[in-house]
Amino acid sequence: MREKILTFIKNLLKIIKKIFTFNIATLLFGALFIYMLITVLLYITSTHVTSYQVTAGPLSRNPVSTALAVRDEEIVTAESPGYVRYYAREGMKVRKNGNVYALSDTKNVKADITLSKDQLEEVRAGIADFSNNFSGTDFYDTYSFKYEMQGLIFQQALSSQKAPADAVEDDEEESGVTVIQGSKTFGNQVVHTAPNAGLVVYSTDGYEGKTVEDLTEEDFSQKAYEKNDLLTDEEIKAGDPVYKLIRDDNWTLMVPLSDKLAAKLADRSSIKVKFLKDGETQTGQLSILNVGSQKVAKIALKNGMVRYAADRFLKIELVINTQSGLKIPMSSIVTKEFYMIPSSFLTKGGNEDSAGFLRETVTKGGEKTTEFVSATIYKNTAEESQDTEVSENTDDTGSKDGYCYVDKQTFKDGDVLRKPETEETFVVGEIDYLEGVYSMNKGYAVFRQIDIIDQNEEYCIVKTNTSYGLEAFDRIVEDGESVKEEDILTGK
């Protein structure tokens, strides 16, 4: 019997020993289990909210529209049949009587032209400049550049072969060059010049000659729009269009508007326009008029036309939302109470030389003394007052004092604060409110103050770089009233 009892005790001890045998794996598993348990408990007990990521920008996007460009344009036609050789580049400005194209009775006419050293250097400089700025996306410019170089070389050749002074009126020949009204001959080529100064474009679309007053609602439709390329190496007939000449740098954008947008722009006399083609901006004179039953914005511009000379319809952004800041939902905004303490009582102290105030205390012996209390200053109106006074040059010393907004948890009603290096005191008790939102970057609700610039029904934009404020990409509580400060938060 005794042996049986001893055997049972030995077996029990072995089982207990196995149960309470610890190793590294057991410890790691236990630590992981405890961590998971705490995580689950925190998730169950925390407040689940929807978060919003703060973004920087305007209150709303600027409207994007398609504008119709109206310009002072003239179509120049061929005076006689022949094969065309182009001497002016697409988008190139030419002077009156400047070389634009030549006609000959044979295809690909070649002429021997001798240039001086200086003239060759000018040609080389033009080629180098084009090569340095060339982009593969604008390969079409290669052909235009070819025509520009041909025109430059031909112009250099003519400049070294002077025609008589009265050659404009009378046909005369000298060294193989004949200059007549509106054209010049060089060998078997007849070089035609521009009737007016302007910008050369080698395409037409049927809108040439139209003015703002001539437009109809159908003109704004792009469904039937057709652009005809005039560049050709085939023989053309007399009267065929050769190029288009834009005679004025002033131009107009006609932008169809919705009734809502037209009402929003009604009080404006000018507007900033951003061209989506290249990101460039311009400011023009604005007026609203009706084309049939369609409200249209007429935007008069004085420059920049050369960049878009070949475009009839342009995608533009009407820059009407000029104020920019941090965008947040209106639903995130809450108010919080703060003690107001005169800024003149603010001092520095503590181990970290932080901002705070001197609070009066009484020792056990009944003697009055002070202790430094560190405080987070959410807002200091003294700094704002000083900025205003510098701009307005005022002498109001009261506004210079200002107030500091301090969290109510820092002090309690009736606390007495002492002004540094004086015997002046202030009794804590006056309160005011600040608007703000709850930041959840740290995993719990932290109040951050805001200064609203502009707002609509759903969103507002607030100033950047405010004291104890927000920054771009901060995560805030979307429904501010659903949580309290220092609540542990989880959200999506």
Side-chain angles (χ1 to χ4, degrees):
M1 185 69 179
R2 182 180 177 184
E3 291 179 357
K4 291 182 178 180
I5 293 173
L6 290 173
T7 302
F8 174 77
I9 292 173
K10 287 180 180 180
N11 292 335
L12 182 62
L13 289 174
K14 288 180 180 179
I15 294 172
I16 293 172
K17 187 177 181 180
K18 287 182 179 179
I19 295 173
F20 290 97
T21 298
F22 290 96
N23 53 40
I24 294 176
T26 305
L27 289 172
L28 290 175
F29 177 78
L32 180 61
F33 177 78
I34 293 171
Y35 171 77
M36 293 177 63
L37 183 62
I38 293 173
T39 302
V40 171
L41 289 174
L42 287 174
Y43 180 80
I44 294 173
T45 57
S46 62
T47 304
H48 302 279
V49 298
T50 302
S51 65
Y52 177 86
Q53 189 174 56
V54 178
T55 57
L59 183 60
S60 59
R61 292 183 178 181
N62 290 313
V64 175
S65 304
T66 300
L68 171 65
V70 179
R71 296 175 280 252
D72 181 9
E73 300 167 327
E74 173 188 4
I75 296 178
V76 180
T77 59
E79 297 178 5
S80 59
Y83 293 92
V84 184
R85 172 165 288 186
Y86 303 96
Y87 291 126
R89 183 181 183 180
E90 170 91 1
M92 178 181 175
K93 283 189 174 182
V94 295
R95 59 181 175 80
K96 185 177 181 180
N97 295 323
N99 301 322
V100 180
Y101 73 99
L103 287 174
S104 65
D105 54 4
T106 58
K107 202 171 184 177
N108 297 325
V109 175
K110 294 183 179 180
D112 294 330
I113 296 177
T114 302
L115 300 180
S116 67
K117 184 178 180 180
D118 291 340
Q119 290 170 338
L120 283 172
E121 187 60 35
E122 185 176 350
V123 173
R124 289 194 189 99
I127 295 172
D129 182 63
F130 177 80
S131 177
N132 292 333
N133 297 298
F134 177 74
S135 171
T137 58
D138 300 321
F139 188 75
Y140 179 80
D141 287 347
T142 306
Y143 296 99
S144 296
F145 177 70
K146 169 188 171 183
Y147 305 139
E148 181 182 5
M149 286 295 99
Q150 289 177 344
L152 175 62
I153 293 170
F154 187 79
Q155 186 66 42
Q156 297 284 21
L158 290 181
S159 66
S160 62
Q161 303 180 60
K162 302 288 185 181
D166 57 349
V168 172
E169 297 296 335
D170 302 310
D171 295 350
E172 294 193 23
E173 292 189 6
E174 182 176 327
S175 302
V177 179
T178 304
V179 182
I180 60 177
Q181 185 69 34
S183 64
K184 306 171 185 178
T185 62
F186 188 80
N188 67 339
Q189 296 184 60
V190 179
V191 180
H192 294 267
T193 59
N196 297 289
L199 197 76
V200 174
V201 177
Y202 292 110
S203 62
T204 60
D205 57 12
Y207 284 80
E208 295 81 11
K210 280 186 177 287
T211 65
V212 171
E213 292 74 18
D214 298 332
L215 294 177
T216 64
E217 290 185 65
E218 289 73 24
D219 290 329
F220 293 96
S221 174
Q222 299 181 62
K223 292 181 180 180
Y225 179 74
E226 185 176 351
K227 186 176 180 179
N228 301 310
D229 187 8
L230 300 178
L231 292 173
T232 181
D233 58 359
E234 300 296 329
E235 184 178 12
I236 64 172
K237 300 176 182 178
D240 286 350
V242 182
Y243 65 96
K244 176 168 62 182
L245 192 65
I246 303 176
R247 298 175 293 195
D248 197 340
D249 286 337
N250 295 322
W251 59 308
T252 303
L253 294 179
M254 301 295 288
V255 188
L257 304 174
S258 64
D259 290 341
K260 183 177 180 181
L261 183 55
K264 195 170 185 179
L265 299 176
D267 296 332
R268 290 174 175 260
S269 59
S270 64
I271 191 169
K272 188 176 183 179
V273 174
K274 180 179 180 180
F275 295 90
L276 301 189
K277 180 178 180 179
D278 55 11
E280 294 292 328
T281 59
Q282 287 189 57
T283 300
Q285 297 300 311
L286 172 67
S287 58
I288 308 296
L289 48 84
N290 290 318
V291 175
S293 60
Q294 174 70 58
K295 291 188 181 299
V296 178
K298 175 186 174 184
I299 305 174
L301 302 171
K302 294 185 177 181
N303 50 51
M305 182 272 296
V306 62
R307 292 195 299 270
Y308 319 105
D311 300 310
R312 182 65 63 187
F313 292 95
L314 289 160
K315 282 284 187 182
I316 63 169
E317 179 181 324
L318 300 174
V319 184
I320 57 178
N321 299 311
T322 56
Q323 290 184 317
S324 184
L326 301 176
K327 185 178 178 180
I328 62 172
M330 292 294 293
S331 59
S332 297
I333 299 175
V334 295
T335 57
K336 180 180 176 180
E337 282 187 342
F338 290 89
Y339 282 129
M340 294 178 63
I341 300 174
S343 301
S344 57
F345 281 72
L346 185 64
T347 186
K348 289 188 176 182
N351 295 331
E352 299 180 357
D353 198 28
S354 57
F357 301 91
L358 298 177
R359 177 169 58 188
E360 284 191 354
T361 60
V362 179
T363 64
K364 293 181 179 179
E367 183 180 354
K368 285 186 177 182
T369 184
T370 59
E371 62 176 354
F372 177 79
V373 180
S374 179
T376 300
I377 309 301
Y378 284 77
K379 184 178 182 180
N380 189 348
T381 61
E383 297 175 356
E384 299 174 2
S385 298
Q386 288 173 3
D387 292 340
T388 303
E389 287 179 10
V390 168
S391 61
E392 297 181 359
N393 195 25
T394 62
D395 296 323
D396 183 3
T397 56
S399 64
K400 288 183 181 179
D401 290 341
Y403 287 91
C404 293
Y405 285 72
V406 181
D407 196 311
K408 289 190 70 177
Q409 294 183 355
T410 308
F411 299 106
K412 61 179 182 292
D413 285 355
D415 279 353
V416 178
L417 307 182
R418 184 181 297 177
K419 192 172 184 179
E421 301 179 357
T422 68
E423 295 299 320
E424 185 179 348
T425 60
F426 175 80
V427 179
V428 175
E430 186 177 357
I431 63 171
D432 197 5
Y433 297 87
L434 287 179
E435 287 186 320
V437 296
Y438 288 124
S439 168
M440 51 190 300
N441 293 341
K442 297 181 179 179
Y444 58 92
V446 178
F447 181 86
R448 298 289 184 184
Q449 75 133 335
I450 60 172
D451 189 352
I452 297 176
I453 302 174
D454 196 8
Q455 68 183 68
N456 56 28
E457 294 180 357
E458 296 183 3
Y459 294 93
C460 67
I461 51 174
V462 301
K463 289 183 179 179
T464 57
N465 302 320
T466 55
S467 174
Y468 217 72
L470 291 172
E471 294 181 357
F473 307 113
D474 280 351
R475 290 173 63 240
I476 63 174
V477 179
E478 188 168 358
D479 183 5
E481 298 295 339
S482 65
V483 301
K484 296 179 181 178
E485 192 165 12
E486 297 186 353
D487 279 354
I488 298 175
L489 305 175
T490 58
K492 57 182 180 179

